[in-house]
Amino acid sequence: MTELFSATILGIIEGLTEFLPVSSSGHLIITGHLLDYTGPKAAVFEVFIQLGAILAVVVLYLNRFLGLLKNTPEIPFSGIRGLWMLFLTSLPASILGLLLSGYIKTYLFNPITVSFALAVGAIFILWVEKYAPDNKNSETTYQSLDDMTPKLALGIGCFQCLALWPGFSRSASTIMGGMLLGTRRTLAAEYSFLAAVPIMFAATGYDVLKNYQLFTTADLPFFTVGFVVSFISALIAVKTFITLVGKMTFKPFAWYRLIIAPLVYLFWT
């Protein structure tokens, strides 16, 4: 029961934070240390439950993903063109992640480095909110997914590399990157959700295949609970976030990060 409680807590944390600009990996690392659930198996579990969050996005944006299976001339973000843009967004972080994965897991998966990443990411959010282009001008702004271009997709992918530092936040890096490159904040958030699917699926699959020997059938209930809870909480978080994102700035998330960053640092020093 203690293990299933931990799986439930971690699943809730993953689902609620994966698509918000607060860093799910950072929160999972902190929570894992508080629950005394750390080590190689814990690291893979934290990656595995991301599949639940990914599935939530697939369900919510099912029509968009189905649209990627065929070319529809009147819908630019479809078929090969849509897949190509998602590939371009995933490419930079995928390459850099493969090159640095060992270093990242050895030196950056701890609460101290997460606390610094939370603070730096918060400053980045506040800076973007102050200096990003005026994204209300429809003539100079990317308004919807169908306005996306390969150049924009690759640019967002380069910003996504910042998320390789656990605690920085993949969502924050892609949303803020999109806003700096001229997208409306609603589009930046929506594309961040879609772009998460291929890179998270690849990272999860790679980690599970690489470490499958760590697990036994006894781990199945633990992993199942984490997966299901992550899926449900991500559904709630994404639906709520997308309704709020057009009505507010991202500053509250930055202030939240700046509050918890020193608390995390002081707790573990």
Side-chain angles (χ1 to χ4, degrees):
M1 290 302 296
T2 302
E3 284 195 348
L4 294 182
F5 174 77
S6 297
T8 301
I9 296 299
L10 291 168
I12 291 172
I13 295 296
E14 163 60 26
L16 292 181
T17 60
E18 181 59 54
F19 301 104
L20 303 183
V22 296
S23 176
S24 62
S25 60
H27 279 73
L28 286 173
I29 290 169
I30 293 167
T31 306
H33 278 75
L34 289 173
L35 295 173
D36 197 27
Y37 183 62
T38 58
K41 184 181 288 190
V44 180
F45 171 78
E46 291 168 3
V47 173
F48 177 80
I49 59 175
Q50 290 178 346
L51 283 172
I54 294 170
L55 182 60
V57 169
V58 173
V59 169
L60 289 172
Y61 289 91
L62 184 59
N63 288 335
R64 275 293 183 182
F65 282 107
L66 290 176
L68 296 173
L69 301 178
K70 62 178 181 178
N71 291 310
T72 307
E74 62 270 22
I75 304 177
F77 192 83
S78 67
I80 297 299
R81 188 173 186 275
L83 290 171
W84 174 240
M85 284 188 282
L86 289 175
F87 171 78
L88 289 174
T89 300
S90 303
L91 187 61
S94 297
I95 294 174
L96 202 58
L98 285 173
L99 294 174
L100 300 178
S101 61
Y103 176 88
I104 291 169
K105 287 193 173 183
T106 302
Y107 297 105
L108 300 182
F109 267 68
N110 64 79
I112 300 300
T113 58
V114 166
S115 68
F116 283 104
L118 286 168
V120 173
I123 294 169
F124 179 58
I125 293 172
L126 293 173
W127 183 83
V128 172
E129 285 287 5
K130 185 173 183 179
Y131 294 107
D134 180 1
N135 296 345
K136 296 179 182 178
N137 188 338
S138 61
E139 295 181 0
T140 60
T141 304
Y142 301 99
Q143 299 288 311
S144 72
L145 286 170
D146 293 320
D147 295 326
M148 293 286 299
T149 66
K151 181 180 178 180
L152 174 62
L154 182 60
I156 292 174
C158 290
F159 276 102
Q160 188 168 229
C161 292
L162 295 170
L164 293 174
W165 182 7
F168 196 95
S169 171
R170 188 206 57 79
S171 180
S173 62
T174 51
I175 293 175
M176 296 301 113
M179 289 175 61
L180 281 174
L181 296 173
T183 70
R184 290 182 63 190
R185 64 180 63 242
T186 50
L187 169 58
E190 202 170 24
Y191 187 68
S192 174
F193 301 154
L194 299 181
V197 173
I199 193 165
M200 287 171 60
F201 185 79
T204 301
Y206 175 76
D207 256 33
V208 171
L209 288 174
K210 186 178 178 182
N211 299 283
Y212 73 92
Q213 69 277 4
L214 294 174
F215 307 101
T216 66
T217 53
D219 296 311
L220 188 59
F222 185 79
F223 274 61
T224 301
V225 168
F227 179 93
V228 173
V229 173
S230 173
F231 170 76
I232 295 171
S233 53
L235 274 177
I236 296 170
V238 171
K239 290 183 73 172
T240 303
F241 183 58
I242 205 64
T243 59
L244 293 175
V245 73
K247 305 175 184 178
M248 59 180 284
T249 70
F250 295 106
K251 290 180 182 179
F253 297 105
W255 293 120
Y256 163 75
R257 294 170 62 125
L258 286 175
I259 290 170
I260 67 168
L263 297 178
V264 171
Y265 180 81
L266 290 173
F267 187 83
W268 270 282
T269 55

